[in-house]
Amino acid sequence: MNMLRSSGILLHPTSLPETPGIGTIGKYAYKFIDWLESAKQTLWQILPYGPTGYGDSPYASFSTFAGNPLLIDLDTLKEEGWLTDAQVEPPEWIHSSGYVDFGSVVWWKIPVLKTAAAQFLDGAPENKRVEYEAFKNDNAAWLDNYSIFMSIKEHYDAQAQKENKFGAMWSNYWPHDLAVHEPKAVSDWHASHVLEAEIHKAIQFFFFSQWSRLKKYANAHGVRIVGDIPIFVAADSADVWADQKLFQLDENGRATSVAGVPPDYFSATGQLWGNPLYDWDEMEKDGFKWWIRRIRSMLHQVDYVRIDHFRGFEAYWSVPAGEETAINGKWVPGPGAKLFNRIKQELGDIPIIAEDLGLITDGVRQLRDDFALPGMKVLQFAFDVNEAGKEGFTNPFLPHMYTPECVAYTGTHDNDTMQGWLNNASKEEVELVRRYLTGNVPGVEIKDEGLCPALIRAAMASTARFAVFPLQDLFAVGSEGRMNTPSTRGGHNWQWRMNSEHMDADKAAWLKELSALYGRNMGEGL
């Protein structure tokens, strides 16, 4: 993968400011790109942008191909004539600042988007109709199944709610013939619910029209977008429902084995994710076409693709369905080089970033390196007081240990913010950070408030070709800015939003200076 020395910011669009309820890909997304350009930052990394369900995690989407309707900008739809002033006016309980309240946003915004879609379908002029039909044709491989899936899901979700049956999904609640995707049953449903399915297609047209314009603007201003896809897909998704033979399911569409990670230092019972596992032998029969389509689709929308839990391609932790923890799982070989050879054959030298954190084996490293895929280095993992000094400071996450073929981060969406980590670190850890940053030069000291920016500077100065920082770290936001705490629900997971004041000229000037000092302007103008 060709990586010019660059730097940028990690910020999911839901965290953009000022729009009602949730960040969107409208006006403030463009302002953020302008701010990145002023700061000479050429990378904007986001999280997966698919439609989220229970728990609001972008890593558990109803479709790996679809866009999140909640990110659609309503003011843009109004300007295009698909909504009126009155229709875009939010209720008083929807706010433009503070944490995202996903439940409230869904309750208000989805009906508004359906109204816009209906008005578009009724009144679109000929040029827009042609554009819409072309979109449907280009994306039929996933869009048809997604739209039907969502129309069925909405019907049976509403029914399950009336019956107080929580946790209902296609595999345990829908009629059997629909649940197993019996062609006649699916066709009959569609025939009697054409408008409902078409509404979902129009909403996807809105999303990808807005996203395409935004990406074009970003690229024209020298900013490249780093997208993200989870290795696994959600059980309650159109992907699993429509292609059940590609997953480890029984005859009723229920998973026989599910994904997770084994017990480790952080969890005595491991992590039980619950995603259905792929049937890699079945996928190999047609040359991994599903994966080729998935990555090709992403590369139409972003410039680089980060794949979460990359180690699962070498071997994955398989837990029998029904287990309450991940303890009784086992490692099973993944597709390894066979998949990536096929991807390279079909798509060329693709720009993939491998999330290679956690328990990484020699086999995972070899798979990553054989295909020249950059891995990740996270500064928060670098300062282990138990390791420091045993044989010199050789923790692989310390900047002096980096090789160029990696992406340096202060933290990720799953970590505390850097300032939050510093606030909660032991005295010994903080002193180790201070010692590393100053080299114990006599008379040189970094005060507490200077540690976070000094760590950003250290990552900028490293040999890593890419350096990316959560926006929260640039402004030393504490733990209240944490995006996600893994294996938890509730709290403020995925809900943080920036303020418009975070597009600060002084911070932009500082980043511009760092980029000049450490040669990170090489990605400009692409």
Side-chain angles (χ1 to χ4, degrees):
M1 170 175 145
N2 184 28
M3 298 171 68
L4 296 174
R5 191 166 167 81
S6 309
S7 60
I9 298 294
L10 168 60
L11 181 80
H12 197 46
T14 57
S15 296
L16 288 163
E18 301 298 329
T19 44
I22 192 170
T24 74
I25 51 178
K27 177 174 68 174
Y28 279 92
Y30 288 84
K31 287 188 175 183
F32 182 65
I33 290 168
D34 291 341
W35 181 82
L36 289 172
E37 183 182 28
S38 74
K40 296 299 182 184
Q41 300 306 292
T42 54
L43 299 172
W44 176 11
Q45 182 167 332
I46 63 173
L47 306 182
Y49 57 55
T52 56
Y54 179 70
D56 311 312
S57 171
Y59 292 87
S61 171
F62 296 140
S63 168
T64 193
F65 295 93
N68 189 344
L70 301 182
L71 292 174
I72 295 170
D73 187 66
L74 297 184
D75 285 336
T76 302
L77 296 183
K78 181 186 72 174
E79 292 164 5
E80 293 173 338
W82 314 130
L83 289 169
T84 66
D85 287 342
Q87 288 168 336
V88 300
E89 186 68 25
E92 61 181 15
W93 38 269
I94 292 289
H95 305 290
S96 296
S97 60
Y99 293 111
V100 178
D101 181 346
F102 281 94
S104 296
V105 172
V106 169
W107 185 265
W108 159 65
K109 192 167 184 177
I110 295 299
V112 176
L113 290 169
K114 289 184 176 182
T115 297
Q119 291 171 175
F120 169 82
L121 293 170
D122 284 343
E126 181 62 23
N127 65 320
K128 280 293 178 183
R129 176 64 65 178
V130 169
E131 190 178 336
Y132 175 55
E133 293 299 327
F135 167 78
K136 291 197 296 181
N137 183 65
D138 291 344
N139 294 279
W142 66 265
L143 185 61
D144 291 345
N145 278 314
Y146 168 77
S147 63
I148 296 170
F149 173 83
M150 291 303 296
S151 71
I152 305 173
K153 178 175 175 56
E154 287 181 341
H155 174 84
Y156 284 105
D157 278 2
Q159 181 174 299
Q161 188 174 17
K162 290 178 182 177
E163 297 174 356
N164 292 319
K165 293 184 177 178
F166 302 104
M169 52 180 281
W170 62 269
S171 60
N172 63 17
Y173 189 75
W174 292 10
H176 184 265
D177 55 354
L178 286 176
V180 298
H181 203 270
E182 197 280 314
K184 184 177 186 305
V186 174
S187 178
D188 288 347
W189 177 277
H190 185 223
S192 58
H193 297 81
V194 171
L195 180 59
E196 291 98 319
E198 201 69 18
I199 290 287
H200 285 287
K201 290 181 180 181
I203 290 172
Q204 288 301 304
F205 175 68
F206 293 156
F207 175 89
F208 284 105
S209 296
Q210 291 188 10
W211 182 262
S212 177
R213 291 194 294 269
L214 182 66
K215 181 181 182 293
K216 184 176 180 180
Y217 185 85
N219 290 167
H221 288 258
V223 175
R224 292 158 295 163
I225 296 176
V226 182
D228 193 336
I229 59 175
I231 185 174
F232 299 117
V233 295
D236 194 15
S237 69
D239 311 299
V240 181
W241 173 71
D243 285 303
Q244 294 180 37
K245 70 177 183 178
L246 300 181
F247 297 86
Q248 296 181 30
L249 308 177
D250 65 19
E251 65 276 7
N252 296 310
R254 298 174 185 174
T256 55
S257 297
V258 296
V261 289
D264 58 17
Y265 174 81
F266 299 101
S267 173
T269 60
Q271 294 181 37
L272 185 63
W273 296 338
N275 307 76
L277 295 168
Y278 300 110
D279 185 332
W280 287 113
D281 290 338
E282 187 66 32
M283 285 188 157
E284 188 178 1
K285 289 178 182 178
D286 66 2
F288 302 104
K289 282 185 178 179
W290 186 89
W291 270 96
I292 302 298
R293 284 197 296 115
R294 190 183 192 194
I295 294 176
R296 180 184 283 121
S297 176
M298 278 296 296
L299 290 175
H300 286 156
Q301 315 304 330
V302 301
D303 300 292
Y304 298 95
V305 179
R306 171 191 178 273
I307 299 185
D308 195 52
H309 196 62
F310 176 82
R311 72 102 58 242
F313 292 115
E314 192 269 337
Y316 56 90
W317 190 249
S318 174
V319 183
E323 291 286 326
E324 294 185 359
T325 73
I327 290 177
N328 293 321
K330 62 180 180 180
W331 288 111
V332 178
K338 290 185 292 186
L339 171 63
F340 286 92
N341 278 324
R342 187 63 180 173
I343 292 172
K344 190 170 184 178
Q345 179 182 344
E346 291 287 331
L347 301 178
D349 187 17
I350 54 173
I352 284 179
I353 296 168
E355 186 274 285
D356 56 348
L357 306 174
L359 180 62
I360 302 303
T361 65
D362 289 342
V364 178
R365 295 186 190 95
Q366 182 175 346
L367 180 64
R368 178 196 66 197
D369 295 344
D370 284 350
F371 291 90
L373 306 179
M376 294 174 57
K377 301 294 183 183
V378 180
L379 269 174
Q380 279 189 38
F381 301 157
F383 301 100
D384 187 335
V385 294
N386 296 315
E387 294 181 0
K390 287 182 178 178
E391 297 180 9
F393 282 22
T394 58
N395 185 306
F397 293 101
L398 286 165
H400 69 272
M401 297 295 294
Y402 297 172
T403 60
E405 291 73 30
C406 70
V407 184
Y409 295 86
T410 46
T412 75
H413 62 277
D414 281 337
N415 299 116
D416 200 346
T417 64
M418 179 55 80
Q419 189 61 53
W421 180 81
L422 288 166
N423 292 344
N424 293 293
S426 68
K427 180 180 178 180
E428 291 77 14
E429 286 172 318
V430 174
E431 286 307 310
L432 181 58
V433 172
R434 203 184 310 272
R435 180 185 173 194
Y436 184 80
L437 293 172
T438 64
N440 269 357
V441 175
V444 175
E445 183 179 358
I446 300 177
K447 295 182 179 180
D448 288 350
E449 61 270 23
L451 291 176
C452 205
L455 286 162
I456 290 175
R457 186 198 64 78
M460 277 280 207
S462 75
T463 60
R465 293 256 170 80
F466 286 0
V468 177
F469 318 103
L471 187 75
Q472 297 94 312
D473 290 353
L474 184 62
F475 290 89
V477 177
S479 297
E480 69 275 11
R482 182 169 186 159
M483 198 63 174
N484 178 54
T485 302
S487 300
T488 66
R489 291 178 178 171
H492 290 300
N493 284 350
W494 315 113
Q495 296 180 5
W496 184 79
R497 292 186 78 180
M498 66 183 291
N499 299 316
S500 55
E501 291 79 11
H502 284 140
M503 297 185 210
D504 177 78
D506 289 340
K507 288 292 186 184
W510 180 60
L511 285 176
K512 181 178 178 180
E513 172 69 1
L514 288 182
S515 294
L517 282 172
Y518 300 119
R520 292 196 179 274
N521 294 331
M522 297 173 68
E524 284 188 89
L526 298 180

